[in-house]
Amino acid sequence: MDKKRVIKFTDTTLRDSHQSLLATRMKIEDMLPIIDKIDAIGYHSLECWGGATFDTTMRFLNEDPWERLWTIKQRCKTPLQMLLRGQNILGYKHYADDVLEAFCKYACEGGMDIFRIFDALNDARNMEKAMEYVKKYGGHVQGVLCYTISEFHTVKYYVELAKKLAERGADSICIKDMAGILAPGPAYEIVKEVKEAVGLPIQVHTHYTSGMGAMMYVKAIEAGADVVDTAISSMSLSTSQPACETMVAALESLGYETNLDLLKLKEISDFYKDVRKKYAKFDLTDYTPDTNVLVYQVPGGMISNFLSQLAQQNALDKLPDVLAEVPRVREDFGFPPLVTPSSQIVGAQAALNVLLGERYKMATNEVKQYMRGFYGQPPAPVKEEVRKKIVGNDEVIHCRPADLIPPEMEDARKAVAGVMQKEQDVVSYAIFPNVAMPFLEERLAKQAKVDFKIAKEGTDENGNVVTYPA
């Protein structure tokens, strides 16, 4: 072991941590009072955007996701990082290349630095355009290996995928353990082999769901990992990331350097301990490891979805059957990693199979599209008898799915012409039309009220006198 090696940390508190624990409901008002102190810690990067945040800021918080990015960037010198779902961008289906390029362009111009780019099927074709556009506009491309377990997911499989991403211009590689199932032994092997094969910086991401996260990080670091993802302790563990302070103390006891100050971290932890109480109705964690994930490979978010779905059907007693069905569906579907959107596709079908008492009696539209190749190529072949039962003799495509999607930006621009205030609004609508349009309409109506108040009374919405320059 190199006793002097510096291990870097990415802080997930502003994105994945509250997405995992608090249903992505944290408002910008609970970030800004502490953002300067977070920025001064010395993190490798701050993950603060992407994933589910883009959708939920508009849908539930009445915030503009672009404004959130700009606001944080103005306050931070630490590189900002986001999670980008490849051709899915931030949604649940593939979008046209012109939408993807516009998103990458405006994200880079808005201050995003590091783009963690993944595909739910580990299909490199679905990542290549995102990687190309991020490079084009000056961002750092972090190519992702989504970790899962099957007979097809060998160390060699991950090494070959890393090589494909390196060939496509990745600046670094992330091993993304979204379910918290990467054990210390495999972590050591994969990091070591990938590092030797591509020679790029390696970052490791996990969730503490199974309780193995910190142990796994230590072995990954021993094998050569350069950066790990952690959350501040008061927003860590359970389905979130390992605790930053714990990892700092552990690694320094082993002779590594982190250059992070535990006293300064404590101040941030105390702040978020209080903030977390504000979101108690969304905070459903019981603070204990969920070892079901080791048996079924089901991330915590999927279990929450199952509970909601089964409760609506008065069938909560069926949860064990649904959990047992997930691995069978996943095998039928070619062993996709369970991450958005494949986790929703597999999970919904597993629930249907159990509730209807017959496997594949009914299939969702997303499952039908998956079986026809419109989400990309699964890691292993799907079972043909299952495909036949779901889509019959419908055509199956084998090209990059987005090659079949015509440009979408022009239609999006026409749709929002009456409510848009900036070019980024077009992108917001193109990705989430049903969410963005009500948001943009409400914003315009609110602005109209403010303009009317200024014109009538000479004051803004807060009652302040408005004066105009000469």
Side-chain angles (χ1 to χ4, degrees):
M1 184 194 305
D2 181 359
K3 296 289 186 180
K4 298 298 182 184
R5 191 152 65 94
V6 176
I7 306 303
K8 299 177 182 178
F9 287 64
T10 288
D11 178 63
T12 67
T13 307
L14 305 184
R15 203 286 295 180
D16 200 5
S17 172
H18 74 95
Q19 178 173 322
S20 300
L21 298 176
L22 309 176
T24 331
R25 292 305 205 278
M26 191 186 292
K27 299 177 181 179
I28 189 72
E29 67 189 44
D30 292 316
M31 301 177 186
L32 296 184
I34 199 73
I35 196 77
D36 293 338
K37 291 179 179 178
I38 293 175
D39 184 45
I41 288 294
Y43 289 120
H44 168 71
S45 62
L46 302 179
E47 193 198 42
C48 61
W49 213 52
T53 61
F54 200 92
D55 176 7
T56 54
T57 50
M58 291 188 291
R59 187 189 298 267
F60 299 116
L61 307 182
N62 197 31
E63 291 182 23
D64 187 328
W66 298 101
E67 295 284 351
R68 175 176 289 200
L69 171 60
W70 301 335
T71 300
I72 293 175
K73 188 62 178 181
Q74 288 172 358
R75 302 283 291 272
C76 290
K77 295 179 181 177
T78 307
L80 303 186
Q81 182 171 311
M82 73 165 294
L83 183 66
L84 182 62
R85 298 169 183 162
Q87 204 70 35
N88 292 350
I89 310 180
L90 299 169
Y92 308 96
K93 67 182 184 70
H94 286 192
Y95 297 90
D97 288 340
D98 65 335
V99 178
L100 176 60
E101 180 169 11
F103 176 86
C104 294
K105 175 179 185 289
Y106 294 132
C108 286
E109 290 177 354
M112 185 51 58
D113 299 292
I114 301 171
F115 292 73
R116 179 175 287 175
I117 302 171
F118 80 93
D119 176 67
L121 302 183
N122 280 332
D123 187 340
R125 300 173 306 168
N126 293 336
M127 294 184 260
E128 61 188 17
K129 283 296 183 180
M131 298 173 73
E132 174 188 327
Y133 297 143
V134 169
K135 281 278 190 184
K136 178 178 179 180
Y137 295 105
H140 174 109
V141 171
Q142 184 169 92
V144 173
L145 319 178
C146 286
Y147 180 77
T148 190
I149 300 171
S150 79
E151 61 186 289
F152 295 92
H153 291 88
T154 61
V155 174
K156 181 179 179 181
Y157 168 88
Y158 292 111
V159 169
E160 292 304 313
L161 177 57
K163 288 180 179 178
K164 290 179 183 178
L165 300 180
E167 290 167 0
R168 286 167 169 78
D171 298 300
S172 62
I173 297 291
C174 173
I175 299 168
K176 179 176 172 63
D177 174 28
M178 56 280 171
I181 58 175
L182 179 54
Y188 183 93
E189 294 178 21
I190 294 170
V191 170
K192 184 174 184 295
E193 295 293 329
V194 168
K195 186 95 173 179
E196 291 177 357
V198 300
L200 294 173
I202 305 293
Q203 185 157 356
V204 186
H205 169 90
T206 194
H207 292 250
Y208 213 78
T209 316
S210 70
M212 291 194 297
M215 292 181 282
M216 183 272 283
Y217 275 175
V218 169
K219 294 303 291 184
I221 288 166
E222 286 181 4
D226 303 280
V227 190
V228 292
D229 286 10
T230 61
I232 203 69
S233 58
S234 54
M235 289 289 292
S236 69
L237 306 186
S238 186
T239 52
S240 180
Q241 280 68 55
C244 179
E245 299 96 306
T246 306
M247 288 306 307
V248 167
L251 292 175
E252 290 184 349
S253 79
L254 292 171
Y256 297 101
E257 293 183 8
T258 66
N259 297 325
L260 302 185
D261 187 320
L262 287 175
L263 288 177
K264 293 179 180 178
L265 290 167
K266 181 184 183 303
E267 188 175 359
I268 297 168
S269 180
D270 289 344
F271 175 85
Y272 276 109
K273 186 175 182 179
D274 290 333
V275 165
R276 188 168 176 174
K277 296 173 185 175
K278 295 174 57 176
Y279 300 94
K281 67 179 179 179
F282 303 108
D283 194 347
L284 303 179
T285 179
D286 62 4
Y287 298 96
T288 61
D290 180 5
T291 54
N292 278 324
V293 74
L294 298 174
V295 179
Y296 305 118
Q297 298 191 42
V298 175
M302 282 184 70
I303 294 178
S304 300
N305 291 338
F306 287 148
L307 289 172
S308 174
Q309 188 175 354
L310 294 173
Q312 292 172 12
Q313 301 295 322
N314 244 1
L316 282 173
D317 60 307
K318 299 289 187 183
L319 180 60
D321 297 330
V322 174
L323 291 176
E325 177 67 1
V326 168
R328 293 192 286 265
V329 172
R330 185 169 162 267
E331 181 178 358
D332 293 342
F333 285 20
F335 293 103
L338 294 179
V339 64
T340 302
S342 59
S343 56
Q344 289 87 343
I345 293 171
V346 169
Q349 190 59 54
L352 273 178
N353 288 355
V354 170
L355 290 171
L356 297 177
E358 179 184 334
R359 305 189 79 224
Y360 306 113
K361 180 179 182 179
M362 183 184 297
T364 65
N365 288 331
E366 290 78 14
V367 167
K368 292 175 183 177
Q369 291 294 86
Y370 178 96
M371 282 296 182
R372 294 185 59 203
F374 285 97
Y375 283 90
Q377 182 178 341
V382 303
K383 289 189 176 178
E384 282 303 322
E385 63 271 25
V386 173
R387 194 203 302 266
K388 277 282 187 183
K389 187 169 185 178
I390 292 173
V391 299
N393 294 318
D394 289 354
E395 179 188 4
V396 177
I397 68 167
H398 300 284
C399 63
R400 183 182 76 106
D403 288 342
L404 303 177
I405 305 176
E408 297 172 319
M409 282 294 286
E410 184 176 346
D411 287 345
R413 186 179 304 280
K414 291 177 181 177
V416 299
V419 294
M420 66 175 285
Q421 295 181 353
K422 57 182 181 296
E423 288 297 312
Q424 290 82 351
D425 294 339
V426 182
V427 180
S428 298
Y429 176 85
I431 303 172
F432 293 112
N434 296 331
V435 176
M437 183 57 82
F439 171 79
L440 297 175
E441 289 173 340
E442 183 177 346
R443 185 183 67 184
L444 188 66
K446 182 178 179 181
Q447 185 60 49
K449 289 180 181 179
V450 172
D451 291 343
F452 177 79
K453 185 176 179 64
I454 292 173
K456 184 179 180 182
E457 303 175 14
T459 60
D460 63 16
E461 70 272 27
N462 297 317
N464 300 314
V465 176
V466 176
T467 58
Y468 297 92

